[in-house]
């Protein structure tokens, strides 16, 4: 497993990381099995584990906490906050009030006294960025957080936050976590250039595009299909576009002597802006099938041929980024008099 430095944090992380979203009721409800999967990942050389308070309502953090007990010093532990943890609007977002409460909740569930990386799960358009940065900086000063970052921020919001930190004299976001795969290449157009300009470490998730690049024949019967009905319908315009792209990518992977999932993960690892790619297995079989991708390097010819199938900076389905739609687009009241 190769290591890379996570932006300006100075922290060395494996270039393939373990995403813990599938541990708990959202994926694998067997805690002992989930712990075994985490141990297998650590034994394979993965040292970065990424979870979030919202994953299975805190259950994922509890599982991760159990798994790293006795191995905490060997783990770069990342969690996230900001998505709703209850019906009360004050149990979400990036206000100082919620940040101070949510970090204590996460630390308790994880059984640790600090997080190596604490990330705002989605932009909070209702809270001044300076207020958020001030609260997060206080957590750094208190030793509860080593560094903090953002997730699914558009390029302009990344820049706004960097400027706010400079104006306020606070610590700044040092990482960005974004969705990125062969089928969702939009970050290449603006997010990646901005993160490189500001020296941010980049974590990416969903390299298999929620199963489209998993090599599975019948996606409609997959675990993810139950949570996103219609998303895997090959008869829709976007479904048809993805189906055609997947067929070409599958052939390309076979020609290169690898599986489609390995091609997909190696593609993400190849981008110079990417520090580490998160894989999110639900079973140990899935984990074991993905680990060999950490050793693969794609030639320039293979990367060029991928560009011919899905153009750089484009995405085949804008709905893939459903959780990051700005309010001004999602809420018609904000664009009418």
């Amino acid at each position: 497993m190769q290591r890379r430095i996570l932006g300006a944090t100075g922290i060395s992380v494996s270039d393939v990381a373990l995403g813990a979203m599938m541990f708990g009721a959202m994926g694998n409800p067997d805690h002992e099995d989930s712990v075994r999967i985490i141990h297998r990942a650590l034994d394979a050389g993965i040292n970065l584990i990424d979870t979030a308070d919202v994953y299975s309502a805190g259950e994922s953090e509890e599982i991760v906490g159990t798994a790293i007990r006795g191995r905490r010093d060997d783990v770069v532990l990342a969690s996230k906050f900001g998505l709703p943890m209850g019906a009360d609007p004050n149990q979400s977002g990036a206000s100082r009030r919620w940040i101070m409460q949510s970090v204590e909740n996460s630390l308790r569930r994880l059984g640790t006294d600090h997080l190596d990386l604490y990330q705002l799960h989605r932009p909070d358009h209702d809270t001044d960025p300076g207020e958020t940065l001030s609260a997060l900086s206080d957590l750094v000063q208190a030793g509860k957080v080593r560094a903090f970052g953002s997730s699914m921020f558009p390029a302009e919001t990344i820049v706004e936050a960097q400027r706010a930190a400079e104006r306020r004299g606070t610590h700044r976001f040092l990482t960005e976590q974004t969705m990125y795969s062969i089928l969702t290449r939009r970050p290449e157009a603006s997010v990646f250039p901005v993160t490189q300009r500001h020296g941010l470490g980049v974590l990416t998730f969903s390299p298999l595009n929620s199963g489209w690049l998993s090599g599975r024949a019948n996606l409609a019967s997959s675990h993810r299909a139950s949570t996103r009905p219609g998303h895997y319908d090959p008869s829709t315009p976007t479904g048809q576009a993805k189906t055609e792209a997947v067929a070409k990518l599958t052939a390309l992977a076979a020609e290169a002597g690898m599986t489609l999932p390995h091609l997909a993960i190696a593609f993400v690892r190849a981008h110079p802006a990417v520090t580490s790619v998160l894989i999110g297995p639900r079973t140990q079989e899935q984990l074991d099938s993905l680990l060999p991708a950490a050793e693969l390097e794609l030639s320039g010819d293979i990367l060029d041929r991928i560009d011919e199938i899905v153009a750089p900076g484009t995405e085949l389905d804008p709905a893939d980024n459903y959780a990051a739609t700005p309010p001004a687009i999602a809420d018609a009241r904000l664009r009418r008099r």
Side-chain angles (χ1 to χ4, degrees), residues 128-251:
D128 181 89
E131 179 70 9
T132 299
L133 291 165
S134 175
L136 290 169
S137 295
D138 286 348
L139 293 182
V140 174
Q141 294 294 335
K144 296 184 178 183
V145 169
R146 300 296 188 251
F148 55 83
S150 56
S151 176
M152 293 299 285
F153 273 36
E156 63 272 17
T157 308
I158 294 173
V159 173
E160 179 186 8
Q162 296 291 312
R163 290 178 175 171
E166 184 177 357
R167 288 196 308 269
R168 295 282 293 262
T170 65
H171 291 271
R172 65 188 180 97
F173 288 124
L174 295 180
T175 66
E176 163 63 11
Q177 183 173 151
T178 188
M179 177 185 289
Y180 181 50
S181 74
I182 295 175
L183 303 183
T184 51
R185 301 185 62 174
R186 188 169 63 174
E188 296 170 346
S190 57
V191 169
F192 286 169
V194 166
T195 59
Q196 290 176 301
R197 191 171 303 128
H198 290 278
L200 303 187
V202 173
L203 308 178
T204 69
F205 66 94
S206 200
L208 304 186
N209 193 230
S210 298
W212 275 99
L213 298 172
S214 67
R216 183 167 181 163
N218 185 10
L219 291 175
S221 64
S222 68
H223 174 77
R224 290 288 186 89
S226 62
T227 62
R228 297 187 67 182
H231 181 69
Y232 301 99
D233 185 352
S235 67
T236 66
T238 54
Q240 184 176 359
K242 283 190 175 184
T243 299
E244 293 174 356
V246 166
K248 295 176 182 177
L249 291 167
T250 301

Side-chain angles (χ1 to χ4, degrees), residues 67-78:
I68 65 173
R69 195 170 298 144
R71 306 180 69 166
R72 177 65 183 90
D73 291 344
D74 300 325
V75 174
V76 177
L77 183 59

Side-chain angles (χ1 to χ4, degrees), residues 58-88:
E59 190 180 0
S60 171
E61 287 185 323
E62 292 173 353
I63 292 170
V64 170
T66 299
I68 65 173
R69 195 170 298 144
R71 306 180 69 166
R72 177 65 183 90
D73 291 344
D74 300 325
V75 174
V76 177
L77 183 59
S79 193
K80 299 183 286 294
F81 72 97
L83 292 182
M85 287 294 287
D88 186 342

